[in-house]
């Protein structure tokens, strides 16, 4: 007699220590093997677009902070660039330089959380503590600049909320010098750790064509070996002035595009961010950071789409203006949301324990997925 | 235990009120449910990480509600999440405590006016012991909130829970 079998459905989340927020994954299992993964989202839908309809242009900036709360500076950055493009205003050089420095510091801070919690998810507790120690140093820099640790509302349309502190340049240089050896420490502690490699190499391989078909961007796409970075390929602000490389996955311990590659791309990206900061920090020109801030933001009718390279990928803002003080609509192309879609492809045929490793390497922020 | 050993070397007897003993034990090891909701969860993580070290107050994240004593509601509670939070709360064994962290879970915060999917305060579904203001609160503020909770537990009586 044939035994009747059926797949088991397992819910992972919304309360789960390693879903990085409130994500529910519906896993369909055959024994330990994963047949299907369906992400259920919407547990953190905070009505961003509704707020964008109801608010004035500058009032939306705090809400962009709260989308990708690990990279608030960069969300501000993308939004203000979009509005400035709509208004057609030039921002002073000093503002541009400070924005780039803040953006790159934020990229490091964001990657530190991503890498730290990634280690935590698959059983390495120590790197988490080390990396949060370093992240506090970046947060100190942000705090002395704008008074906030996490959600900054720092970049305004046409300028910045505060000028940098007189000590900022010195302390940033100190941080850069301090942080360089720390990356080596991280490599020894986690990247080249045998257990870590066993858990991540050859797991969740993302082939190039799948990545492109799903519209995956950021470290995930670069982990698959594609050299695509908007800072180089579609330079915004003043990124074309700096000299930096784009790290890509090479499949050192496994296949190109596995979890380890995605992890490693993030580690190497932090080095490149340090390079950009080093080049920018000494060249900040003098000037007033608030001189170009418009008194009243009332852009002409029209639409604009800008995209920036957020720590998680391509962050796009599509703004429709109907000539009023409020935007008609603001649509956000959130990198985490797009990257999350590929989960189903990545998990197929892997074991349950690997879902954690794969999800951590995708590095989602639920605030941005649900908006 | 070194200091205590020296204090009571001959197998002495300590006389203590039951209330005090229970309260002391409860407030010194508040195990929180490892559960992050939104932005505030990052500050909660920062609080338990190296710089601020939640552990020194006996706060250890547990990943199942059945082993937890407290929840820190760290972030925006949406309508979809509210029923889940209620269920998590109900799974925690008594005595249980709630810290509401940040404006969103206190009252809806910046999403108060137009947030059609945001619960305007987590106290509409579960009882809250300590409210920590801020958007997000600094780790120091969360620590202060914890100290307030400890103070509250210290004054509890077994016969009736303090108001």
């Amino acid at each position: 007699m044939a035994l009747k079998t059926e797949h088991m459905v397992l819910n992972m989340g919304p309360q789960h220590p390693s879903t990085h927020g409130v994500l529910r994954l519906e896993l369909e299992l055959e024994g330990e093997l994963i047949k299907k993964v369906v992400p259920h989202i919407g547990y953190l839908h905070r009505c961003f677009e509704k707020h964008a309809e109801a608010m004035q242009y500058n009032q939306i900036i705090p809400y962009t902070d709260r989308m990708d709360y690990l990279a608030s500076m960069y969300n501000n950055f993308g939004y203000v660039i979009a509005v400035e493009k709509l208004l057609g205003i030039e921002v002073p050089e000093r503002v541009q330089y400070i924005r780039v420095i803040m953006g790159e510091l934020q990229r490091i801070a964001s990657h530190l959380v991503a890498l730290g919690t990634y280690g935590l998810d698959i059983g390495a507790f120590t790197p988490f503590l080390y990396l949060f120690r370093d992240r506090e140093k970046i947060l100190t820099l942000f705090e002395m600049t704008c008074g906030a640790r996490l959600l900054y509302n720092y970049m305004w349309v046409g300028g910045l909320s505060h000028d940098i502190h007189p000590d900022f340049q010195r302390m940033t240089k100190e941080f850069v010098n301090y942080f360089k050896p720390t990356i080596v420490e991280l490599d020894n502690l986690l990247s080249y750790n045998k257990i870590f490699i066993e858990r991540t190499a050859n797991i969740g391989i993302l082939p190039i064509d799948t990545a492109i078909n799903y519209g995956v961007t950021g470290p995930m796409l670069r982990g698959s070996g594609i050299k695509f970075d908007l800072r180089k390929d579609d330079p915004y602000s003043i990124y074309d002035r700096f000299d930096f490389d784009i790290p890509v996955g090479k499949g050192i311990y496994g296949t190109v595009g596995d979890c380890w590659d995605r992890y490693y791309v993030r580690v190497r990206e932090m080095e490149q961010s340090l390079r950009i900061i080093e080049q920018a920090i000494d060249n900040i020109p003098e000037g007033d950071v608030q001189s170009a801030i418009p008194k009243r933001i009332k852009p002409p009718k029209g639409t604009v789409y800008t995209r920036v390279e957020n720590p998680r990928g391509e962050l796009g803002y599509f703004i429709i203006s109907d000539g009023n003080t409020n935007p008609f609509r603001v649509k956000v192309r959130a990198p985490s949301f797009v990257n999350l879609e590929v989960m189903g492809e990545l998990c197929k045929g892997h074991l349950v324990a690997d879902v954690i490793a794969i999800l951590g390497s995708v590095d989602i922020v639920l605030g941005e997925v649900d908006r | 235990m070194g200091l205590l050993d020296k204090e009571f070397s001959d197998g002495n007897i300590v006389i203590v009120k039951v209330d005090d003993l229970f309260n002391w034990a409860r407030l010194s090891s508040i195990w929180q449910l490892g559960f992050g909701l939104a932005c505030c969860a990052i500050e909660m993580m920062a609080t338990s990480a190296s710089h601020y070290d939640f552990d020194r107050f006996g706060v250890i994240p547990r990943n199942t509600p059945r082993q937890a004593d407290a929840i820190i509601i760290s972030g925006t509670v949406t309508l979809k999440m509210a029923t889940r939070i209620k269920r998590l709360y109900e799974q925690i064994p008594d005595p249980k405590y709630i810290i509401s962290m940040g404006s969103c879970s206190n009252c809806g915060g910046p999403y108060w006016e137009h947030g059609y999917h945001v619960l305007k305060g987590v106290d509409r579904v579960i009882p809250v012991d300590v409210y920590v203001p801020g958007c997000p609160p600094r780790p120091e503020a969360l620590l202060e909130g914890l100290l307030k909770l400890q103070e509250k537990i210290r004054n509890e009586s077994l016969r009736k829970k303090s108001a």
Side-chain angles (χ1 to χ4, degrees):
Chain A
M1 195 181 81
L3 206 61
K4 189 174 169 286
T5 60
E6 58 181 23
H7 289 166
M8 190 175 109
V9 176
L10 186 72
N11 274 312
M12 186 177 145
Q15 187 264 325
H16 188 278
S18 56
T19 51
H20 294 248
V22 281
L23 172 70
R24 180 158 73 92
L25 293 173
E26 193 185 309
L27 311 176
E28 205 178 303
L29 306 174
E30 188 183 285
E32 280 273 300
L33 284 177
I34 288 167
K35 288 286 151 195
K36 200 174 158 198
V37 176
V38 183
H40 288 263
I41 61 170
Y43 291 96
L44 194 55
H45 175 60
R46 295 194 282 193
C47 332
F48 172 76
E49 290 190 10
K50 179 72 189 164
H51 284 91
E53 282 172 21
M55 304 276 167
Q56 292 177 5
Y57 280 93
N58 47 356
Q59 291 174 322
I60 296 170
I61 298 173
Y63 290 95
T64 65
D65 271 336
R66 283 156 184 76
M67 280 193 311
D68 182 352
Y69 38 78
L70 284 175
S72 305
M73 283 284 185
Y74 235 97
N75 286 17
N76 291 174
F77 202 170
Y79 177 75
V80 296
I81 287 181
V83 179
E84 279 157 10
K85 204 166 152 190
L86 202 57
L87 286 166
I89 49 176
E90 279 289 311
V91 288
E93 283 281 290
R94 184 178 176 82
V95 175
Q96 300 274 28
Y97 270 90
I98 296 173
R99 278 182 186 175
V100 166
I101 292 167
M102 291 299 175
E104 292 309 311
L105 283 172
Q106 180 73 83
R107 188 183 307 277
I108 297 173
S110 168
H111 282 346
L112 284 176
V113 177
L115 302 175
T117 52
Y118 190 35
L120 194 64
D121 286 347
I122 54 183
F125 194 75
T126 316
F128 168 75
L129 296 174
Y130 277 45
L131 297 181
F132 262 72
R133 174 198 64 192
D134 302 334
R135 181 172 173 267
E136 287 294 331
K137 291 186 194 298
I138 301 179
L139 297 191
T140 311
L141 291 174
F142 288 152
E143 198 182 346
M144 66 191 265
T145 309
C146 60
R149 277 167 52 88
L150 192 67
L151 308 171
Y152 312 104
N153 185 16
Y154 181 59
M155 297 180 194
W156 286 359
V157 177
L160 304 167
S161 72
H162 300 78
D163 203 346
I164 51 172
H165 191 269
D167 279 347
F168 179 80
Q169 278 160 298
R170 179 182 60 79
M171 285 181 68
T172 307
K173 277 184 232 167
E174 275 174 18
F175 169 75
V176 171
N177 291 332
Y178 160 81
F179 191 60
K180 272 182 193 161
T182 320
I183 297 180
V184 182
E185 192 181 53
L186 170 68
D187 277 342
N188 294 331
L189 202 60
L190 191 61
S191 311
Y192 307 135
N193 183 313
K194 179 77 174 136
I195 304 169
F196 181 73
I197 292 170
E198 289 289 322
R199 282 298 306 270
T200 53
N202 282 325
I203 302 289
I205 297 159
L206 179 64
I208 291 177
D209 50 344
T210 315
I212 292 174
N213 287 346
Y214 275 85
V216 165
T217 47
M220 280 197 76
L221 183 65
R222 293 193 283 276
S224 295
I226 303 176
K227 231 179 194 167
F228 179 78
D229 190 318
L230 290 172
R231 291 174 293 173
K232 277 261 200 252
D233 293 311
D234 183 12
Y236 48 93
S237 192
I238 51 164
Y239 272 107
D240 46 355
R241 295 184 200 174
F242 302 112
D243 178 33
F244 61 98
D245 300 325
I246 303 169
V248 290
K250 295 195 178 75
I252 299 174
Y253 288 102
T255 321
V256 177
D258 57 7
C259 289
W260 193 84
D261 271 352
R262 288 195 282 277
Y263 161 86
Y264 200 59
V265 162
R266 292 196 177 95
V267 178
R268 297 277 79 87
E269 258 179 32
M270 296 199 294
E271 279 176 354
Q272 300 306 321
S273 294
L274 288 180
R275 270 178 77 187
I276 297 175
I277 295 167
E278 273 183 329
Q279 291 167 46
I281 194 75
D282 282 325
N283 299 324
I284 304 178
E286 291 299 314
D288 182 8
V289 295
Q290 299 201 327
S291 59
I293 294 179
K295 286 263 174 338
R296 184 150 167 267
I297 303 173
K298 200 174 174 186
K301 269 189 187 174
T303 60
V304 66
Y305 180 77
T306 57
R307 46 188 198 166
V308 292
E309 184 73 29
N310 181 305
R312 271 155 206 84
E314 177 184 331
L315 174 72
Y317 282 94
F318 179 65
I319 304 180
I320 304 176
S321 159
D322 56 357
N324 222 324
T325 49
N326 296 7
F328 181 73
R329 179 146 191 247
V330 179
K331 160 89 176 83
V332 182
R333 188 249 187 234
S336 305
F337 177 69
V338 182
N339 292 355
L340 180 63
E341 285 170 36
V342 84
M343 264 302 279
E345 291 284 329
L346 290 179
C347 291
K348 243 176 233 168
H350 284 296
L351 301 175
V352 179
D354 295 332
V355 176
I356 309 292
I358 293 168
L359 186 66
S361 76
V362 176
D363 184 26
I364 46 163
V365 169
L366 263 297
E368 195 181 53
V369 173
D370 294 337
R371 296 190 290 281
Chain B
M1 290 296 282
L3 281 173
L4 271 180
D5 286 352
K6 276 174 214 153
E7 200 78 13
F8 311 111
S9 51
D10 310 330
N12 272 326
I13 295 169
V14 178
I15 297 176
V16 64
K17 280 201 293 183
V18 180
D19 274 356
D20 289 348
L21 180 69
F22 271 62
N23 291 344
W24 167 78
R26 279 173 185 166
L27 69 86
S28 324
S29 68
I30 301 173
W31 286 3
Q32 60 140 325
L33 180 63
F35 174 51
L37 277 171
C39 334
C40 289
I42 305 298
E43 286 297 65
M44 190 177 77
M45 269 159 62
T47 317
S48 39
S50 27
H51 205 79
Y52 293 95
D53 193 14
F54 232 172
D55 269 8
R56 62 194 156 135
F57 298 102
V59 179
I60 302 170
R62 300 299 298 183
N63 292 328
T64 162
R66 281 141 220 261
Q67 296 171 353
D69 303 306
I71 320 182
I72 299 176
I73 306 289
S74 54
T76 315
V77 183
T78 58
L79 299 183
K80 192 172 178 179
M81 198 63 207
T83 52
R84 274 76 171 176
I85 287 182
K86 189 148 187 280
R87 181 177 288 187
L88 284 171
Y89 172 77
E90 282 161 358
Q91 288 180 6
I92 298 179
D94 270 328
K96 49 194 168 186
Y97 305 96
I98 312 287
I99 296 179
S100 162
M101 179 184 183
S103 301
C104 286
S105 69
N106 289 348
C107 62
Y111 303 98
W112 188 81
E113 197 179 353
H114 301 290
Y116 53 82
H117 189 235
V118 176
L119 188 73
K120 309 298 183 298
V122 75
D123 50 6
R124 296 190 183 200
V125 287
I126 52 174
V128 175
D129 290 287
V130 176
Y131 297 88
V132 181
C135 186
R138 298 178 55 84
E140 289 94 332
L142 181 59
L143 293 177
E144 172 72 16
L146 182 83
L147 294 180
K148 285 277 177 232
L149 180 63
Q150 290 190 335
E151 206 172 285
K152 183 173 175 174
I153 297 172
R154 193 172 284 126
N155 295 323
E156 266 178 11
S157 155
L158 280 180
R159 275 176 299 167
K160 76 178 209 297
K161 215 179 158 185
S162 77

